[in-house]
Amino acid sequence: MAMHRLSLLRPLLCQSLVVRSPLVVTSRVSAPLLYPNTPTSYPAACTRLYATKKAKAKAKGQSAKVNINSALVEDIISLDELKGEMTAVLNKLKDDFTRNLSIRTQSGALDHIVVTTQDGKFPLNQLGQVSMKSPQLIMINMSSFPEDTAAAARALRESSMNLNPEVDGTIIKVPVPKVTRDHRENLAKLAKQLGNKAKESLRKVRSNAVTQVKKTKDAQSEDTLRLVEKQIQQMADNMALDIDKQLAAKTKELLGGL
């Protein structure tokens, strides 16, 4: 009799679980052979479906995207100006890559060299005539600005191109060094340093923006400020991804087939 009551109560217990939890699934089968005189069918198993660790981690890593109309929060912060500041960080990185990480051997590779003179800073190709005399030698004629010859030679020597210029009057001879594996690897390390420097500048821009937003806490709701801060973080994250892409592309270019 006790066993018969238990067979009748068991489906009720499983049904109560179904009502209490939406994550319970049941399957109905005929009464087992242990109770041959019980015609009632009942859930033979009550199985709870648990989310896997992988699924939980994926859900945790995903956050809702924010897209605030800049006109609606212009009294808090100018998102357009903020985007401009972040973009300027990325553009400076691109410029630093061009100026400091060239492995080309043609005369145009020296166009980015900036010479510091008594009258200010000027591109090398505005002070002297640059020409490729041979694949192994670049000549720079400084006759138009002879007083800046020494400064031009110093700028070439201090560049990251591993150059050793030789001054002959107003002529600067620049032997073109062979691009070695070590030189390429050193340039790749410099590229990483410049990338980290760009990210540091980006963090400063983000931090200054958040500070500006918090100054308006007396005039804005906490929810509004939290949403704006989230937008700022999202903008910074997107720009950081662009920095990583630029660094990856430059590293691939520098290392070539190494």
Side-chain angles (χ1 to χ4, degrees), residues 74-180:
E74 59 184 3
D75 56 333
I76 301 176
I77 190 173
S78 173
L79 294 179
D80 292 336
E81 290 183 5
L82 178 61
K83 182 178 180 180
E85 291 181 27
M86 292 184 175
T87 302
V89 172
L90 179 64
N91 290 337
K92 185 178 186 306
L93 177 64
K94 293 178 180 179
D95 186 58
D96 286 340
F97 281 170
T98 300
R99 289 178 177 275
N100 302 304
L101 301 178
S102 177
I103 57 175
R104 297 174 298 171
T105 57
Q106 61 266 33
S107 60
L110 304 182
D111 289 348
H112 68 277
I113 299 294
V114 176
V115 181
T116 301
T117 71
Q118 293 182 350
D119 298 323
K121 296 182 178 181
F122 301 91
L124 177 63
N125 58 4
Q126 290 186 10
L127 299 177
Q129 183 179 0
V130 183
S131 59
M132 197 86 181
K133 292 301 181 182
S134 71
Q136 292 79 34
L137 182 64
I138 298 176
M139 300 281 284
I140 305 170
N141 188 336
M142 297 291 297
S143 57
S144 297
F145 298 93
E147 67 277 11
D148 296 327
T149 301
R154 182 168 57 253
L156 290 165
R157 192 173 295 109
E158 294 177 353
S159 71
S160 61
M161 298 181 65
N162 194 29
L163 302 176
N164 187 25
E166 302 171 1
V167 178
D168 183 9
T170 58
I171 301 296
I172 301 177
K173 300 178 181 179
V174 185
V176 177
K178 182 179 180 181
V179 182
T180 63

Side-chain angles (χ1 to χ4, degrees), residues 10-56:
R10 185 174 179 181
L12 294 177
L13 290 173
C14 285
Q15 288 174 4
S16 66
L17 287 176
V18 173
V19 172
R20 292 184 180 183
S21 174
L23 294 180
V24 175
V25 296
T26 63
S27 60
R28 304 189 70 84
V29 298
S30 300
L33 296 178
L34 290 175
Y35 314 113
N37 297 324
T38 305
T40 306
S41 63
Y42 59 90
C46 296
T47 306
R48 184 165 184 172
L49 301 180
Y50 293 94
T52 64
K53 291 183 178 180
K54 184 176 181 181
K56 288 182 179 179

